[in-house]
Amino acid sequence: MKIIKRETLKQKPSPDTELGFGRYFTDYMFTMKYNVEEGWHDAKIEPNEPQRFDLGTSIFHYAQGIFEGMKAFIQPDGSIAVFRPEENWARMNRSAVRMCIPQFPEDVVEEGLEELLKLEKDWIPTKPGTALYIRPTIVATRVMLGVHASTEYLFFIILSPVGSYYAHGLEPTKLLVEDFYVRSAIGGTGEAKCLGNYAASMKAGEEAEEKGFDQVLWLDAKEKKYVEEVGSMNMFFVIKGEVVTPALVGSILPGITRKSCLQILRDKGYPVSERRISIDEVIEASENGTLDEAFGTGTAAVISPVGLIRYKDKDYVINGGKMGEITKMLYDTITGIQYGKLEDTYHWRKIIK
Ligand SMILES: *Cc1c(COP(=O)(O)O)cnc(C)c1O
């Protein structure tokens, strides 16, 4: 892999800095270009610096772009581990198909990521709960205003040392059930990790924040009846001892943390069900005392307990506003595997030496 070095390196945040999420970026990035004549080409590592783009570039106008999110962790023996990267590359290529973006060679970007991580190893934070967040993205770069799929693209990977996703860390979150705005409908792009999904969700997110909530809990677009997911997390409920998560019906992002949790739960013998779950069922369970736990899952927040849900102006406190047992077990298992504290029986750690 070609590496273009920079003359001076950036100042790294000190170990005591509150990293937040996505505020700091490392010295280097991986890039690769696409055009019709050459396909994907010119894979390299270069300084992460501001870029110049013509303002007619199609990504600025029609959001033909996709992204991924994964994390790298320092292991007790000093090596680097990435959590299930092959799952992210496969999902990114599925998102590419939905957005008319040409599929990319997964082995090339994996090699690029590994070289980049080796070069940036000193940026991986080591305090508990921190990680190096990996953001692969593809954007349409043809300079053209016609509404057509672009014929040119840029693939890039940038890295950001991060702390916890929510300002209040592992404290249970408060969710506002959104019954007006919708995130995604079947046949739309909710299943793809594409840029426009997030722009479309911001209005609801802002209104929820103004009311003191962390995020919105989305319902299905058609009937506003079935629970879908949270802005950046898949949703789980524990009702009468059964762990329930909405089935992947086409409007929900197929999370890799979700998939990992399902496997852990099934292997440990918990009753698990992927099915449609209505908000009425959740509220009823809360009212009759059978809603034991609720939590969200996603790379950024890992496992995030939900302590309160508001639906139609009524608040429902879950598990006394505290983290539940199954939530804690999943958090400990996933982070234990990620940080190298538990044996990796599933081979989910990709070790980079
Ligand atoms: C990325 C994302 C998730 C979580 O997926 P993971 O693979 O677990 O990180 C859930 N919902 C949405 C909308 C997302 O963008």
Side-chain angles (χ1 to χ4, degrees), residues 187-261:
T189 56
E191 221 176 17
K193 226 171 161 75
C194 68
L195 307 189
N197 287 346
Y198 303 85
S201 73
M202 282 174 189
K203 182 79 176 129
E206 294 247 309
E207 290 182 12
E209 265 175 43
E210 274 166 30
K211 292 178 190 155
F213 291 84
D214 296 293
Q215 285 209 22
V216 303
L217 178 58
W218 297 104
L219 300 179
D220 76 282
K222 196 171 166 200
E223 296 178 72
K224 310 264 173 65
K225 186 172 170 190
Y226 296 99
V227 173
E228 298 237 303
E229 61 173 312
V230 180
S232 54
M233 301 190 300
N234 293 109
M235 207 48 218
F236 285 75
F237 300 94
V238 184
I239 298 175
K240 286 191 213 124
E242 185 190 43
V243 188
V244 185
T245 189
L248 301 176
V249 287
S251 48
I252 295 173
L253 201 285
I256 294 155
T257 320
R258 173 189 183 277
K259 183 175 174 176
S260 306
C261 286

Side-chain angles (χ1 to χ4, degrees), residues 264 268 328-338 342:
I264 292 165
K268 288 191 187 283
K328 175 96 173 46
M329 180 281 288
L330 287 169
Y331 180 82
D332 289 344
T333 308
I334 299 251
T335 56
I337 293 171
Q338 290 176 333
L342 290 180

Side-chain angles (χ1 to χ4, degrees), residues 123-175:
W123 279 92
I124 307 179
T126 51
K127 256 189 149 173
T130 64
L132 189 66
Y133 186 75
I134 301 164
R135 171 51 61 87
T137 307
I138 302 178
V139 292
T141 48
R142 185 168 175 204
V143 180
M144 196 195 60
L145 290 185
V147 182
H148 291 289
S150 177
T151 50
E152 290 161 36
Y153 297 88
L154 172 67
F155 188 125
F156 62 85
I157 305 175
I158 53 175
L159 306 174
S160 173
V162 297
S164 66
Y165 187 64
Y166 295 109
H168 49 62
L170 255 187
E171 282 289 299
T173 52
K174 292 184 191 172
L175 301 181

